[in-house]
Amino acid sequence: ALGAAVAPGVHGSLADLATLAAPAVVAIVALLTLRPRRGGGHAFHLPQHPAIALAITIAGLAIPAWVAAHGHNFDVAWAMSGDARNQVSIARSLIASGGLTIHELRAYPALINGLMALISSAGGRAHLAPGQLMLHDVQAMVTTYVLAGIAIATLFAASLIELLPRRVASLRRLPPGIAVIVLAAAAVSASPLVLGTALVGGFVTAYATVPIALAAIVLALRFCAEPYPVTYALLGVATGLTLISWTILVVVPGSLALYATVLAARGSLWGRSGASAANGAWAVATATAVGSVGGTIVIFVTQRKLLESVFALTGAITAPQTRILYLFGLFAAAALLGARDSRRRLQLAVPLIVAAAGGAAVKWLTTLPSTGAAWTYYAVKSLWLLASCLVWLIFAPMLYAAADLCRGTPRRLTNQLGQIAHGAAWSAVALMVIGFSAYVTDPLPVALVGWDQPSASVVSEVVSVADRHRPFVLWQWTDPGNERLGNFWADLAWDVTPLGRTVAYPKLAGGFQNWAYYETGTPADLCELARAVPRLDIITGNTSLVSELNHSCRHSGAHVTVSNASALG
């Protein structure tokens, strides 16, 4: 955003690399600053388990590499379904602007698209042929998916570790049974519910916003265990970032910031220390947290008409079970009522608050249409995202049981093997239950065979033909669903410039993007396109298409290329 304000326009790779590196620098400084000091000079305690984080990161990087090794363009096809093409187009426009702008954010919460734009631009994209440029931008989106998946998995693990008794969480190494449960929960980030729904719909921005909301949950759990002004302030930061990433999901950090405010007021934390520095830190933290929530409320009130018109849009996505959020709420309530100590009760109130606030938001979204209660596009999408933020809660009871099992147990090999078997058995049950919570299939097996709509073969064909620098369309080259998505991406290759501007074709209403999105596969559709776009190249597997085209729309000027790669025969 600063880059766009100071120097509007395309930035060099070096500037974008520096921007990408900035969060890592801030994180390292924060970790060093908050690191517990010997002698008890620092009251803030952070459970640190780098082995868990390292294992999750290695798996998160290895699985996409494994998919890529199975075939050409297998590494990108799995990220190109649904609305993914639109997300890349938005990222291109952000590259042209030099970053996030107020104008862009007034129309669309584009923070995640800004991350995609940074990744693409930092990798160098000048002088690439149209097909290669499209592939380059898609690889930036794939990277965003992978980074988000690693972040979600890490934060699922962090949420559970925060629920552990301090005597267990503070151990240098987690007991093996608990480590198995934590890693199983981390694996849910790639489940049909969380990742599968995102991939089928092309919801990279929604999926990549989940880590911010999860971070707020982890921060709130930490605040309940050990109130500290930095944790409190970061809840406000999470609220602001979620607002400009995927707006409705702001109910998660926003409600938790208010919860932390209530806890702080009840415990008189603001005035507990006589040191002016401590009081000043609490004042800054309160201003950040309360101010972000207040700003969000002001935006919702002042932009109510605009937001309602957007959130009332109809449409369908592959959704989780409609009652899943209420089940998570009941699950959290049952766990809270069975909690043994006040710290655990305060922590288990966190998922309960998220479920309640999320349920109210979804209910509001379903009552927006004038026709009455209905599951609109954003209502279903919000339900899926909120469920994704709470799915780790299923592992909490088995985590508590494993922690109790570790109490007073000597570190013998047989006992450790028993703990591993106990954790693995219950984790397998939880993972199977989660598998039934969404209507999509497991995304990994599908990715390993080249994905479906678009398939890797369609992606390869689009990239190859686009590099000829001619407008083109796939027609009767493969199955209709694959063709429509292939043409949707082809638009990005020859109808949209590297900086996101669309080429105008006056005779084609809505442009090629609109045509590709709504085309029905009839000869009339093809004739409309052939007459509107000069020098159109029609890629087909139908050897008789030339005569059919001459009969249906003579003098169109289109050129037909018969490709042997057709999946029709």
Side-chain angles (χ1 to χ4, degrees), residues 23 36 55 59 77 147 153 164 171 182 206 225 253 260 279 327 374 442 465 537 556:
L147 290 173
L164 285 170
L171 293 173
V182 167
N279 289 331
L327 291 175
D442 192 344
V465 178
D537 198 355
S556 63

Side-chain angles (χ1 to χ4, degrees), residues 439-480:
Y439 297 112
V440 298
T441 57
D442 192 344
L444 182 57
V446 183
L448 289 172
V449 295
W451 202 244
D452 179 32
Q453 295 191 14
S455 64
S457 60
V458 167
V459 175
S460 299
E461 184 73 6
V462 169
V463 171
S464 175
V465 178
D467 285 342
R468 301 174 190 172
H469 297 270
R470 285 173 58 101
F472 70 96
V473 65
L474 300 180
W475 192 262
Q476 296 179 4
W477 188 84
T478 184
D479 63 274

Side-chain angles (χ1 to χ4, degrees), residues 227-294:
Y228 201 69
V230 169
T231 315
Y232 186 29
L234 286 175
L235 282 170
V237 175
T239 302
L241 292 178
T242 307
L243 183 67
I244 60 174
S245 298
W246 212 84
T247 305
I248 284 295
L249 206 55
V250 76
V251 298
V252 175
S255 61
L256 295 179
L258 291 176
Y259 177 53
T261 302
V262 171
L263 293 181
R266 192 184 70 173
S268 301
L269 296 173
W270 294 306
R272 176 175 292 180
S273 173
S276 58
N279 289 331
W282 277 109
V284 172
T286 303
T288 304
V290 177
S292 64
V293 175

Side-chain angles (χ1 to χ4, degrees), residues 209-396:
T209 305
V210 172
I212 306 175
L214 280 171
I217 291 175
V218 176
L219 288 165
L221 293 172
R222 168 102 317 250
F223 189 84
C224 292
E226 195 169 0
Y228 201 69
V230 169
T231 315
Y232 186 29
L234 286 175
L235 282 170
V237 175
T239 302
L241 292 178
T242 307
L243 183 67
I244 60 174
S245 298
W246 212 84
T247 305
I248 284 295
L249 206 55
V250 76
V251 298
V252 175
S255 61
L256 295 179
L258 291 176
Y259 177 53
T261 302
V262 171
L263 293 181
R266 192 184 70 173
S268 301
L269 296 173
W270 294 306
R272 176 175 292 180
S273 173
S276 58
N279 289 331
W282 277 109
V284 172
T286 303
T288 304
V290 177
S292 64
V293 175
T296 300
I297 293 172
V298 169
I299 290 173
F300 269 78
V301 171
T302 58
Q303 304 297 320
R304 177 185 170 188
K305 295 297 182 183
L306 173 63
L307 292 173
E308 286 185 352
S309 65
V310 172
F311 293 150
L313 294 175
T314 57
I317 74 165
T318 303
Q321 307 288 349
T322 55
R323 291 182 175 84
I324 189 170
L325 192 58
Y326 304 109
L327 291 175
F328 282 146
L330 291 173
F331 197 85
L336 188 152
L337 292 173
R340 299 176 181 177
D341 54 69
S342 59
R343 172 181 177 267
R344 188 174 293 185
R345 283 191 290 271
L346 290 174
Q347 287 187 317
L348 288 170
V350 168
L352 182 60
I353 289 169
V354 171
V362 171
K363 185 67 175 177
W364 173 66
L365 290 171
T366 58
T367 58
L368 286 179
S370 57
T371 54
W375 282 98
T376 60
Y377 174 82
Y378 282 102
V380 177
K381 207 166 175 180
S382 299
L383 174 68
W384 155 60
L385 288 171
L386 289 160
S388 297
C389 290
L390 292 175
V391 68
W392 58 271
L393 192 61
I394 293 178
F395 294 85

